[in-house]
Amino acid sequence: MVSLVKAEFGDCSEIHRMQVESFNSLLLKYQDFETSPAAESLERIRDKMRSSDYYFIVLNDKVKIGAIRII
């Protein structure tokens, strides 16, 4: 079962870590430092969190497998 769980402001570091891990290989391949989510700073995630909502994508009520931003 897959569910969405609203992230709190304190989750910014975890969201950033997940984003870097997920997109780093593409960043290294394409060198798209200005547009890649892997190159986005933690502070930018915090700014986005202030103006929108993030939700963790959770598998079987246990494992966070990703995140989505809702504007």
Side-chain angles (χ1 to χ4, degrees), residues 3-65:
S3 59
L4 298 177
V5 177
K6 190 168 191 252
E8 302 294 327
F9 191 79
D11 295 320
C12 288
S13 293
E14 184 174 6
I15 292 168
H16 181 257
R17 179 192 55 77
M18 292 173 87
Q19 191 168 288
V20 170
E21 285 180 13
S22 297
F23 290 94
N24 196 49
S25 63
L26 292 173
L27 173 64
L28 295 174
K29 181 177 181 177
Y30 296 110
Q31 302 289 306
D32 55 339
F33 293 98
E34 292 188 23
T35 58
S36 173
E40 197 167 61
S41 70
L42 175 57
E43 187 56 38
R44 182 71 180 125
I45 299 289
R46 289 180 178 143
D47 288 343
K48 288 180 175 182
M49 180 73 86
R50 288 181 185 103
S51 63
S52 59
D53 294 316
Y54 278 88
Y55 290 83
F56 286 110
I57 303 165
V58 181
L59 184 61
N60 296 326
D61 295 324
K62 298 178 193 174
V63 181
K64 294 175 184 171
I65 59 172

